[in-house]
Amino acid sequence: MVTLNTQSLTSPVGIIRLFEFTLTLITFSLVASEGHDSSSFWAWCTFTWFFCCFITLLIIILEFTSLNTKVPISWDDFTTAFAMLSTLMLLAASVIYPTFYVTSRHSVRIAATVISCVCFCLYLSEVGLTRAKPGEISGFLSTVPGLLKVLEAFVACIIFISLNYTFYSWFPGLQWCVAVYSFCFIIALLIIILTIGKLMSRIPIPLNKCLMGYNILAVLMYLTAVVIWPIYSFQNNPRPPGCFACYWDNMAVVSFMTCINLIVYIVDTVYSVRLVFVSPA
């Protein structure tokens, strides 16, 4: 028997989610009404608004009907990870879409951009409300290291949509960088999935030490990518005249995001080292 949980809709987080669903639906509808574009950036933006709208609606329905208690996953980890991921995705979409597709003549696209920015603020508020506070017992993805894992996976996604296979397939050095991005993304995604599925505790190995070792390895691998990618991409390769969202700009985005993810992995490593050597569980 389904038990309706009206409190899920009247709580601060519930009200925020109702606004999130409504505004992401409006944004997606506005952008869809403007037509289709074949670029990966347009696909990313439209997928972001549809994904956030659909999953938010699913969360609202499951919590309202109390079916979330019957789902065999860590619900708090799932909702926190989703809110963090949506915040990052909407931030990227709110920057990418107006940069490439909005001019003063596109009033509908301007409106969609403004609403997307409001959606970003709403999801950011949800992250602030659901993030674990010091001393509070909560899921791994509600903690700073957990949120960092979501951030690492997200930055890798931005790198992937900016990659140009025709270019990086020419150079083994760039192929190594792509291998680094792929390996670290898969491991971060695996950790998130195992955490949400309540499977981390079933792994018969010291997870804290393994995560620390992986984070150190990821930092070393990203250090090589930070050096190798710009050398192969920009050496004797100046920006072409009249370039706007061309392959050179995409390579610059990859280089910048590689540096961002290196910083995130360094911070993650510091947290994991402290967890193992300072305050072991």
Side-chain angles (χ1 to χ4, degrees):
M1 182 177 178
V2 175
T3 303
L4 299 182
N5 180 14
T6 56
Q7 187 178 359
S8 66
L9 299 180
T10 57
S11 66
V13 174
I15 294 172
I16 288 176
R17 284 176 181 156
L18 288 174
F19 278 108
E20 290 167 353
F21 164 70
T22 303
L23 294 181
T24 50
L25 178 61
I26 292 173
T27 305
F28 176 76
S29 301
L30 289 174
V31 173
S33 70
E34 286 290 284
H36 176 268
D37 191 280
S38 60
S39 72
S40 60
F41 290 122
W42 186 90
W44 168 264
C45 293
T46 52
F47 170 77
T48 293
W49 295 312
F50 174 79
F51 172 78
C52 294
C53 176
F54 176 77
I55 301 299
T56 300
L57 177 61
L58 181 64
I59 290 173
I60 291 172
I61 293 174
L62 290 177
E63 289 192 344
F64 180 66
T65 58
S66 299
L67 291 176
N68 63 302
T69 59
K70 296 179 170 52
V71 179
I73 63 173
S74 174
W75 187 254
D76 289 339
D77 277 320
F78 170 70
T79 54
T80 301
F82 168 70
M84 177 66 174
L85 180 61
S86 297
T87 301
L88 297 170
M89 292 175 69
L90 284 165
L91 174 61
S94 299
V95 173
I96 292 172
Y97 186 73
T99 299
F100 296 121
Y101 305 108
V102 176
T103 66
S104 58
R105 296 179 290 113
H106 297 121
S107 57
V108 174
R109 297 180 185 182
I110 293 173
T113 301
V114 173
I115 299 174
S116 180
C117 292
V118 175
C119 292
F120 159 73
C121 295
L122 289 172
Y123 280 100
L124 183 62
S125 300
E126 183 181 345
V127 172
L129 290 173
T130 57
R131 188 180 70 83
K133 308 303 187 294
E136 183 177 81
I137 298 176
S138 187
F140 171 72
L141 295 181
S142 298
T143 64
V144 172
L147 294 176
L148 288 173
K149 281 286 174 282
V150 178
L151 179 57
E152 291 160 3
F154 165 77
V155 174
C157 288
I158 297 297
I159 290 174
F160 291 142
I161 67 171
S162 303
L163 288 175
N164 186 319
Y165 174 78
T166 304
F167 183 79
Y168 76 74
S169 62
W170 296 345
F171 305 105
L174 296 185
Q175 293 172 23
W176 161 256
C177 294
V178 174
V180 169
Y181 306 142
S182 302
F183 172 77
C184 294
F185 171 74
I186 291 172
I187 298 299
L189 188 62
L190 184 63
I191 292 172
I192 294 171
I193 293 173
L194 290 176
T195 301
I196 293 174
K198 299 181 180 179
L199 298 174
M200 293 289 279
S201 58
R202 301 184 183 182
I203 301 177
I205 56 176
L207 287 177
N208 289 340
K209 293 182 179 179
C210 287
L211 288 176
M212 181 190 70
Y214 160 69
N215 286 332
I216 294 174
L217 176 63
V219 168
L220 295 176
M221 293 177 71
Y222 260 88
L223 273 173
T224 64
V226 164
V227 175
I228 293 174
W229 184 271
I231 290 177
Y232 279 90
S233 298
F234 306 121
Q235 191 174 38
N236 301 320
N237 182 27
R239 190 170 189 267
C243 170
F244 179 74
C246 65
Y247 77 96
W248 197 97
D249 286 347
N250 289 355
M251 291 190 301
V253 171
V254 173
S255 185
F256 176 75
M257 287 299 170
T258 302
C259 295
I260 294 296
N261 234 8
L262 173 61
I263 295 172
V264 176
Y265 274 106
I266 290 174
V267 175
D268 199 0
T269 301
V270 171
Y271 268 95
S272 62
V273 169
R274 288 182 58 188
L275 183 63
V276 171
F277 293 107
V278 179
S279 56

